[in-house]
Amino acid sequence: MENHTDEYSGKMQFHTFLSVMRRGRHITLERLARGLCSESMLTRIEEGERLPGKMLRDRLLARLGLTNDGYEDFLLADEYRAWQRRQKLLNAIENKDILEAEKMIACYERQGEKKDKIERQFYLTMRAQVIQDQGVEYEELRRIYGRAIDCTLPGREVKQWKESLLSEQEWNLLLEYIGCGGSVGQLSVCADETYQMAAYEILLSAIEEAGMDSYCLVKIYPKAVYALCLELMKEVEPKRHCGRILQLCSTAVELLRSTKRMFYLCELLEIMESVLEGLRKREDGENGVWIGGVTLSKVRLWRKELVGLYQSAGVSEKMENCVYLYRQTKNRFIGEVVRRRRKMLGMTKKGLCEGICHEKTLGRLENGTAKTQREVTVKLLERMRVSPEYQRYRIVTDKYEVLILYDAVGKALNNRDMKAMGGILPQLKAMIPMELTINRQEIAFLENLYLWHTEKITKQECLLRLKEILGETVPLERIRQAQEEYLSVGELIYLYNIADKSEGGEKAELMGAVYAICKRLVSENGIGADISIYNLVINAIASYFGDVGEYDISNEMSNRVLRENLVLRRMTMLHESIYNKLWNRVERSKKSGDAEPKKSFRVELESCIRLAGLCRDMFSEKFYIKMRKWQ
């Protein structure tokens, strides 16, 4: 394999990305660093003199309003193990395994006071989550949340935190603290307000002005709205607040729909239904009371649909903890990445190390027994055609507007809006450094799909181009022959698309390969750590098994996708999983000669239509509506 160790150098490492994003939002060093590190340390970080630890990297980006869900993060052995421990604790709390959660928190606490204030804040927050449902007095919860806040915030009073730049996790701590009766200083409280109501209003306003991207905002805004609306509903005359409640809930629900998330969605719909029902009765109106484009009947249908799904999956429809705020995706141990990639490409240790480092250094990196200099790991990854830079999604950029465009391309592709996609792609291509393989590869992939969807190339031409695109960084034959592998998220998606557009034996072989990779990822870190790629791949494989008549296997996969997305509060795959099972039942009934009951078919198809409409999947919604002719 050719040597490519100079391609990425200096293009877009973490410190560059951080500096560009901070300056782009006109945020001072002091404001970003406040409570986390000194201004001088942040200066050294931005100048590339010091790479911060994972938790500080994540918190700095979160304070800049950037979610970490879109990129891979390569971690050294100690960071990776610490991340795994945190994820294990989150799972224990989510699964209500209180004994295991307490054991893990106690183990951390026995190690004494930690230097990492962000990690200490995390464990204090998890301590509060564990005890909050055990009848503990608010005073104790307030004390714990107060200690957690003090780890990274300069103060709890409104003036102090309003002037600060906070992450969604820090906003959540303030929200919980207020909910436990915590004081945030002297407030101007109106005659018809409670102290908590006034504090929630100020908090919500500060969150709205924080400048977070939509995927950061959606993690905390619906929760803040729910807390405020509950307080408004306690009033003796709640009808005075009906308009305000509906406006807040509608805004939060629309944010959830646009990001395809379900954080506090059932709770917000329940409040909307109650208020709209009250208005209908008092005004003797029709069932279609419109507030922000949402009718009472639509709210009822959405809520009924979701509650039914949650109940059938054995998952509570109500949000019971703040675990979701700390879940992270695509974190990889860099030693495993190097080892698996090297073996997949058929490279010896000697061949990979030549001109970069000693074989013993590589061995220690792969085994996680010693830290390796950043410059060495960068060169090793580059030689194996892996982007070592900070990655946002599947492109490398130093422009926030590029991330917005990239999101827009993805949405257009999902909705099969080729007019919009065709208009955005040239802009995106002109704004990113095309000398980088990862960028050329991703743009070529998007252009190829655009040409195929607009019928400018055939399916076979599309398939051949996909293989060439993947081959830019890893030959398809190497993946076929590999006993172990590492593929970037982009490469895995290219491989999936190749499998999806192949036929016959090749399709079966490649679908099997993609499935094996996904199963390995899930076994290592759980579904939540790779949920986006898991959704895409497993849903397609479930559909494939249905096509070849393996209906039980297909249904089992769809049920798992459905349940995991309910647990993780993601709405995209709900309608697709239901439709896949419906299609399997129709095909099975055809083969057996039994007629599919029209009523049953109609009920599930209408469910698909409602859920697709809820998550604004216009392409699927139109498809399901056309399927009504089957009745």
Side-chain angles (χ1 to χ4, degrees):
M1 177 163 273
E2 296 177 34
N3 200 336
H4 293 270
T5 55
D6 294 325
E7 180 177 313
Y8 292 91
S9 298
K11 299 295 182 186
M12 186 42 53
Q13 294 184 21
F14 173 82
H15 67 275
T16 316
F17 184 86
L18 180 69
S19 178
V20 167
M21 293 301 161
R22 180 185 64 78
R23 293 171 191 273
R25 288 195 54 199
H26 308 290
I27 292 168
T28 64
L29 283 163
E30 187 278 329
R31 192 172 179 221
L32 179 57
R34 193 179 300 164
L36 299 179
C37 62
S38 67
E39 189 175 339
S40 61
M41 179 183 285
L42 185 55
T43 299
R44 291 171 60 199
I45 289 171
E46 288 197 355
E47 291 176 353
E49 297 176 6
R50 178 166 182 171
L51 179 66
K54 174 175 173 52
M55 297 194 83
L56 181 54
R57 291 199 302 273
D58 290 341
R59 183 58 60 87
L60 289 169
L61 292 175
R63 282 192 170 188
L64 289 173
L66 301 171
T67 184
N68 67 349
D69 291 346
Y71 58 88
E72 290 181 275
D73 200 352
F74 295 151
L75 307 177
L76 294 174
D78 55 347
E79 286 188 323
Y80 184 69
R81 286 191 288 267
W83 174 77
Q84 285 187 313
R85 285 194 296 271
R86 293 192 295 272
Q87 298 304 300
K88 185 178 178 182
L89 175 55
L90 294 174
N91 290 334
I93 293 173
E94 186 72 65
N95 296 327
K96 300 184 185 302
D97 189 349
I98 302 304
L99 290 177
E100 179 63 20
E102 288 180 335
K103 178 181 174 182
M104 295 182 71
I105 293 170
C107 180
Y108 171 82
E109 291 173 343
R110 280 196 301 271
Q111 296 172 19
E113 194 74 3
K114 297 287 184 178
K115 290 182 180 179
D116 192 325
K117 57 179 71 177
I118 303 173
E119 186 173 44
R120 186 163 70 251
Q121 185 180 73
F122 167 78
Y123 277 95
L124 283 167
T125 305
M126 293 306 108
R127 167 65 71 188
Q129 294 299 292
V130 167
I131 68 171
Q132 69 178 5
D133 294 326
Q134 298 178 359
V136 175
E137 296 290 335
Y138 269 171
E139 183 179 349
E140 175 64 11
L141 276 175
R142 189 163 60 243
R143 185 184 67 82
I144 295 174
Y145 280 124
R147 286 179 59 202
I149 289 169
D150 293 342
C151 289
T152 62
L153 272 67
R156 307 175 197 176
E157 294 192 358
V158 169
K159 185 178 185 300
Q160 293 169 303
W161 52 256
K162 277 196 73 175
E163 293 174 353
S164 299
L165 196 67
L166 305 181
S167 67
E168 63 270 28
Q169 294 93 346
E170 290 166 314
W171 287 121
N172 177 67
L173 289 173
L174 286 166
L175 188 63
E176 294 284 5
Y177 181 67
I178 293 168
C180 293
S183 172
V184 290
Q186 188 172 355
L187 304 180
S188 176
V189 181
C190 300
D192 61 345
E193 284 186 322
T194 64
Y195 182 88
Q196 280 188 325
M197 193 187 301
Y200 283 144
E201 286 278 14
I202 295 170
L203 184 70
L204 186 64
S205 176
I207 290 171
E208 290 172 332
E209 296 169 3
M212 291 184 268
D213 74 14
S214 58
Y215 287 96
C216 268
L217 184 62
V218 76
K219 292 179 180 180
I220 190 60
Y221 184 79
K223 181 174 181 177
V225 165
Y226 178 60
L228 175 56
C229 287
L230 283 182
E231 199 66 25
L232 292 170
M233 295 279 281
K234 291 178 183 176
E235 289 293 283
V236 177
E237 291 292 335
K239 64 182 181 181
R240 290 182 302 175
H241 300 295
C242 285
R244 175 68 171 149
I245 291 170
L246 290 173
Q247 177 265 320
L248 287 168
C249 288
S250 295
T251 302
V253 169
E254 289 308 301
L255 176 62
L256 289 163
R257 293 178 68 196
S258 66
T259 54
K260 307 185 192 307
R261 299 293 186 265
M262 297 190 292
F263 308 128
Y264 291 89
L265 177 57
C266 287
E267 291 91 332
L268 292 168
L269 291 175
E270 184 177 19
I271 287 177
M272 292 179 76
E273 183 178 349
S274 174
V275 172
L276 287 169
E277 176 63 25
L279 286 174
R280 186 185 69 83
K281 288 179 179 178
R282 283 194 291 272
E283 298 173 11
D284 195 28
E286 297 297 324
N287 201 34
V289 178
W290 283 82
I291 299 290
V294 177
T295 63
L296 172 58
S297 58
K298 182 174 285 188
V299 168
R300 276 181 175 157
L301 286 172
W302 280 345
R303 182 167 172 260
K304 182 179 178 181
E305 196 72 57
L306 291 172
V307 170
L309 284 177
Y310 275 108
Q311 289 179 348
S312 63
V315 179
S316 173
E317 73 271 19
K318 298 294 180 68
M319 299 290 292
E320 298 176 330
N321 53 59
C322 69
V323 162
Y324 72 100
L325 288 168
Y326 293 88
R327 288 201 179 278
Q328 293 187 324
T329 63
K330 306 181 189 73
N331 287 271
R332 318 289 188 212
F333 168 40
I334 196 168
E336 276 294 287
V337 168
V338 171
R339 185 182 67 79
R340 285 174 172 161
R341 185 77 168 194
R342 175 177 63 78
K343 290 193 171 185
M344 179 182 71
L345 296 175
M347 301 177 74
T348 64
K349 286 185 177 181
K350 182 178 180 180
L352 177 58
C353 289
E354 187 176 355
I356 298 177
C357 65
H358 195 279
E359 284 184 56
K360 288 183 179 180
T361 301
L362 176 59
R364 288 192 289 267
L365 172 65
E366 292 185 351
N367 295 329
T369 54
K371 291 185 178 180
T372 306
Q373 289 184 343
R374 169 70 178 166
E375 293 78 9
V376 171
T377 58
V378 165
K379 290 179 180 179
L380 292 172
L381 290 168
E382 286 177 337
R383 182 164 286 179
M384 296 185 293
R385 304 305 298 273
V386 177
S387 168
E389 311 286 13
Y390 171 81
Q391 286 176 233
R392 173 73 174 195
Y393 299 109
R394 303 196 304 268
I395 56 173
V396 173
T397 180
D398 61 355
K399 298 181 178 68
Y400 185 67
E401 56 267 34
V402 170
L403 306 181
I404 303 299
L405 281 177
Y406 187 73
D407 253 352
V409 168
K411 289 177 181 176
L413 180 59
N414 289 337
N415 287 320
R416 304 298 191 272
D417 186 350
M418 293 301 109
K419 182 177 180 181
M421 188 177 180
I424 300 169
L425 261 178
Q427 299 177 56
L428 181 63
K429 186 175 181 178
M431 292 177 69
I432 61 175
M434 291 297 289
E435 68 271 19
L436 300 184
T437 300
I438 187 174
N439 288 345
R440 289 198 307 274
Q441 201 174 25
E442 182 65 8
I443 292 296
F445 170 71
L446 293 169
E447 288 177 336
N448 188 41
L449 291 186
Y450 171 76
L451 292 172
W452 180 61
H453 283 300
T454 54
E455 300 181 346
K456 294 177 181 176
I457 58 174
T458 65
K459 183 178 179 180
Q460 188 60 29
E461 289 173 323
C462 179
L463 178 60
L464 289 173
R465 291 187 185 197
L466 284 169
K467 291 179 179 179
E468 291 174 0
I469 290 165
L470 177 62
E472 278 278 303
T473 51
V474 56
L476 182 58
E477 286 307 309
R478 283 292 181 187
I479 301 173
R480 282 180 157 136
Q481 297 166 10
Q483 298 297 312
E484 294 185 88
E485 87 300 311
Y486 164 76
L487 297 176
S488 68
V489 172
E491 290 168 339
L492 188 50
I493 289 174
Y494 308 151
L495 177 62
Y496 153 74
N497 275 269
I498 291 170
D500 187 53
K501 290 173 177 56
S502 298
E503 295 179 356
E506 183 178 38
K507 186 181 185 88
E509 176 198 1
L510 294 177
M511 279 291 186
V514 174
Y515 185 39
I517 294 170
C518 279
K519 283 204 300 184
R520 195 258 303 163
L521 289 173
V522 167
S523 68
E524 290 178 352
N525 293 318
I527 291 175
D530 286 275
I531 186 62
S532 55
I533 189 67
Y534 180 86
N535 278 340
L536 177 68
V537 170
I538 301 302
N539 186 66
I541 293 173
S543 179
Y544 168 73
F545 274 117
D547 289 341
V548 298
E550 296 286 353
Y551 303 122
D552 291 337
I553 296 174
S554 178
N555 287 338
E556 183 182 344
M557 289 182 170
S558 290
N559 283 331
R560 189 170 188 193
V561 168
L562 184 64
R563 188 181 190 283
E564 292 299 332
N565 278 272
L566 289 170
V567 169
L568 296 170
R569 302 324 201 208
R570 291 174 175 245
M571 64 174 72
T572 311
M573 303 305 296
L574 303 184
H575 65 83
E576 295 193 25
S577 300
I578 293 170
Y579 178 75
N580 188 60
K581 293 192 293 179
L582 176 59
W583 189 92
N584 287 341
R585 200 167 73 244
V586 169
E587 292 302 303
R588 196 198 294 265
S589 66
K590 286 180 182 178
K591 289 185 178 180
S592 65
D594 299 327
E596 167 69 17
K598 287 187 177 181
K599 183 178 180 181
S600 173
F601 176 86
R602 185 165 56 249
V603 167
E604 292 192 40
L605 187 61
E606 291 302 318
S607 177
C608 291
I609 292 170
R610 285 191 290 272
L611 290 170
L614 177 62
C615 69
R616 291 180 172 168
D617 186 341
M618 295 176 289
F619 177 80
S620 295
E621 187 178 17
K622 290 176 183 177
F623 172 77
Y624 298 141
I625 290 172
K626 287 181 181 179
M627 290 300 101
R628 282 173 171 158
K629 67 182 181 181
W630 286 9
Q631 299 178 32

